[in-house]
């Protein structure tokens, strides 16, 4: 290959056009690379910030103190930021009935320290001025905790009924005669009450209504009857319209004398109404003591009704559990032996109780579980 032709150096412009700029481009590329890598500012930094002399611990007490002093400003900046009051917080502080939510998040350690301080202040009984007291005790009317939520109240599951109920002495395997007769009478009364409720209660709604189906011919006759009645009604309306049209509208002219008479009558009625109103007001003022006595009697009646409602509610809670589901609680029948079944011995005792069923009924009676309906499987 031949050599590259040299540019002519006759003119100054031609000489400048042939100068290469590769070294300048390489310098700028290197600068951008260093800036991206973060090494552009290294030559400008002092050597103390890049390198340090490692010395023993005894001789580096001054160095450690200098490091501590370097760490303090960062902490101070954070504390200043936390102590800074924002504009909306300053506006809310003017209203003593609103407690603003702090913008900075407080750590758990700081919360524990604040609680300890409050406990120490309450134990020491420090005297605080009245202005600070009023400013601190005017809390939010919605009673927020500062975190924006309120704790839900725990519902008490305490029941009137005990967990394990002791049956009557007449239900044992070797009962005394009188106690056994009382238990039998109670069981018979419960069964009789159930049968009476079924007999005297409202009859259930029948699933199928007895009757005969209407044939198509009867349907046609029914439609024809309805049409005739409608035609008769239309004829009656037309006759009434013609009679009204035949009558002549006679209007009587109202004279000035009649108008004056009507105005005087209106004034008289208005004056009588005002007089009756004033008379009723005076009667009410005179009967103020009676009204006060009536109000006192009504308050007494309301208080009696409230006490009666509370007593009825307590009695209802004692008689059965609260209504939890759509089914009512049905107590288990009394497990009492008949007179023929009493053998006076545990060896000949008839097994009639079931522990699982007894515990299940006890849980339902205490209101811990919604009662369910017994489903009988048909074969």
């Amino acid at each position: 290959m031949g050599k590259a032709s040299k540019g002519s150096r006759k003119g100054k412009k031609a000489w400048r056009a042939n100068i290469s700029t590769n070294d300048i481009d390489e310098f700028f590329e290197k600068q951008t690379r260093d800036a991206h890598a973060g090494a552009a500012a290294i030559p400008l930094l002092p050597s103390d910030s890049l390198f340090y002399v490692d010395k023993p611990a005894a001789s580096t007490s001054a160095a450690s103190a200098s490091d501590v002093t370097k760490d303090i400003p960062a902490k101070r900046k954070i504390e200043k930021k936390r102590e800074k009051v924002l504009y909306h917080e300053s506006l809310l502080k003017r209203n003593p009935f609103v407690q603003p939510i702090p913008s900075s998040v407080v750590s758990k350690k700081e919360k524990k320290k604040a609680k300890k301080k409050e406990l120490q202040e309450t134990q020491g009984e420090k005297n605080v001025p009245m202005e600070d007291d009023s400013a601190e005790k005017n809390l939010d009317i919605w009673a927020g905790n500062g975190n924006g939520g309120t704790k839900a109240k725990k519902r008490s599951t305490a029941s009137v009924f005990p967990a394990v109920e002791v049956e009557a002495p007449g239900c044992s395997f070797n009962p005394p005669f009188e106690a056994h007769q009382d238990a039998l009478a109670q069981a018979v009364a419960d069964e009789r009450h159930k049968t009476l409720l079924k007999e005297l209660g409202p009859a259930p709604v029948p699933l199928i209504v007895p009757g005969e189906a209407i044939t198509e011919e009867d349907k046609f006759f029914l439609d024809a009857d309805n049409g005739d009645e409608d035609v008769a009604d239309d004829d009656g309306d037309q006759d009434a319209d013609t009679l009204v049209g035949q009558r002549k509208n006679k209007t009587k002219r109202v004279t000035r004398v009649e108008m004056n008479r009507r105005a005087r009558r209106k004034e008289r009625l208005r004056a009588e109404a005002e007089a009756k109103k004033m008379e009723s007001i005076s009667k009410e003022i005179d009967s103020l003591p009676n009204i006060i006595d009536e109000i006192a009697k009504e308050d007494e009646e309301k208080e009696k009704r409230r006490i009666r409602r509370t007593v009825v509610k307590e009695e209802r809670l004692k008689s059965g559990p609260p209504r939890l589901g759509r089914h009512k609680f049905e107590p288990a029948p009394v497990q009492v032996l008949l007179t023929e079944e009493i053998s006076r011995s545990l060896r000949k005792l008839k097994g009639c109780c079931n522990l699982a069923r007894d515990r299940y009924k006890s849980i339902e009676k205490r209101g811990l579980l919604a009662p369910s309906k017994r489903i009988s499987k048909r074969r």
Side-chain angles (χ1 to χ4, degrees):
M1 290 178 70
K3 294 181 179 179
S5 61
K6 295 181 179 179
S8 63
R9 298 190 179 183
K10 292 180 181 179
K12 201 172 185 179
K13 291 180 179 179
W15 182 71
R16 284 178 181 173
N18 294 326
I19 294 172
S20 64
T21 58
N22 294 332
D23 52 349
I24 298 168
D25 296 337
E26 287 176 2
F27 175 74
F28 281 122
E29 286 177 4
K30 187 181 178 183
Q31 266 194 344
T32 53
R33 238 181 284 118
D34 292 343
H36 287 307
I42 289 173
L44 303 175
L45 294 172
S47 58
D48 297 337
S49 62
L50 295 174
F51 309 100
Y52 67 94
V53 181
D54 193 4
K55 294 180 181 180
S59 62
T60 57
S61 59
S64 62
S66 65
D67 294 338
V68 172
T69 53
K70 285 181 181 177
D71 293 340
I72 286 170
K75 291 181 180 178
R76 283 180 182 169
K77 284 181 182 177
I78 294 168
E79 288 174 359
K80 283 182 180 179
K81 285 285 184 183
R82 283 181 179 170
E83 290 174 0
K84 187 179 179 182
V85 180
L86 300 179
Y87 179 68
H88 72 276
E89 291 179 0
S90 64
L91 288 176
L92 291 173
K93 276 187 176 181
R94 296 175 190 172
N95 191 350
F97 298 102
V98 180
Q99 186 180 11
I101 298 169
S103 56
S104 59
V105 181
V106 185
S107 61
K108 292 182 179 178
K109 292 181 180 179
E110 291 179 359
K111 285 181 181 178
K112 288 181 180 178
K113 288 179 182 178
K115 285 182 180 178
K116 285 181 181 179
K117 284 182 180 179
E118 287 178 1
L119 289 172
Q120 289 174 2
E121 287 178 1
T122 51
Q123 289 173 1
E125 296 180 357
K126 293 182 179 179
N127 293 325
V128 186
M130 293 297 290
E131 293 180 0
D132 297 338
D133 255 338
S134 62
E136 289 175 2
K137 288 183 180 178
N138 284 330
L139 300 177
D140 190 4
I141 57 174
W142 287 279
N145 288 335
N147 297 328
T150 55
K151 291 183 179 178
K153 293 182 180 179
K154 291 183 179 179
R155 189 178 178 181
S156 63
T157 57
S159 176
V160 183
F161 306 101
V164 179
E165 292 185 6
V166 181
E167 291 184 345
C171 298
S172 65
F173 73 98
N174 189 13
F177 181 73
E178 293 181 358
H180 181 252
Q181 292 299 317
D182 293 340
L184 273 177
Q186 183 65 33
V188 171
D190 292 341
E191 293 297 326
R192 184 63 181 161
H193 181 67
K194 288 179 183 177
T195 54
L196 284 174
L197 280 178
K198 285 182 181 178
E199 291 174 1
L200 300 176
V205 179
L207 298 175
I208 299 169
V209 180
E212 296 179 357
I214 300 171
T215 59
E216 293 183 0
E217 295 178 358
D218 295 338
K219 287 182 182 178
F220 289 128
F221 285 117
L222 291 171
D223 295 338
D225 294 339
N226 292 332
D228 295 339
E229 290 176 0
D230 294 337
V231 171
D233 292 339
D234 293 338
D235 294 339
D237 294 338
Q238 288 178 0
D239 294 337
D241 293 336
T242 53
L243 289 172
V244 170
Q246 288 174 2
R247 293 177 183 174
K248 293 181 180 179
N249 294 326
K250 295 181 179 180
T251 56
K252 188 178 179 180
R253 187 177 179 183
V254 181
T255 59
R256 190 68 182 174
V257 176
E258 186 65 25
M259 290 173 68
N260 292 337
R261 191 182 293 112
R262 289 179 184 178
R264 286 194 299 272
R265 188 169 176 275
K266 283 182 181 179
E267 288 292 333
R268 188 173 65 256
L269 291 174
R270 194 182 296 113
E272 288 176 359
E274 288 179 358
K276 285 182 180 179
K277 190 176 179 181
M278 292 299 294
E279 189 178 354
S280 64
I281 289 169
S282 63
K283 283 182 181 179
E284 288 178 358
I285 292 169
D286 294 337
S287 63
L288 270 177
N290 299 331
I291 293 170
I292 292 167
D293 295 338
E294 288 177 1
I295 291 168
K297 287 179 182 178
E298 286 179 0
D299 292 340
E300 287 179 3
E301 289 177 359
K302 286 180 181 177
E303 186 66 20
K304 288 178 182 177
R305 282 200 296 270
R306 187 187 65 79
I307 294 168
R308 200 181 300 117
R309 279 199 300 269
T310 52
V311 171
V312 169
K313 191 175 181 182
E314 289 175 0
E315 291 294 331
R316 195 186 299 120
L317 288 174
K318 287 179 183 177
S319 63
R323 188 73 176 267
L324 298 178
R326 60 178 181 176
H327 300 295
K328 289 184 179 180
F329 171 74
E330 294 180 1
V334 181
Q335 300 293 333
V336 60
L337 297 173
L338 298 176
T339 311
E340 298 84 13
E341 294 174 353
I342 296 173
S343 60
R344 310 282 179 184
S345 175
L346 282 172
R347 295 178 184 274
K348 299 178 182 179
L349 183 65
K350 181 184 176 183
C352 58
C353 296
N354 190 355
L355 181 62
R357 191 184 297 114
D358 180 44
R359 290 294 86 211
Y360 188 75
K361 281 289 180 183
S362 175
I363 290 169
E364 284 185 352
K365 193 172 184 179
R366 283 181 285 160
L368 302 176
L369 187 69
S372 58
K373 194 176 182 181
R374 188 178 178 182
I375 300 170
S376 59
K377 294 181 180 179
R378 295 181 180 178
R379 292 183 180 179

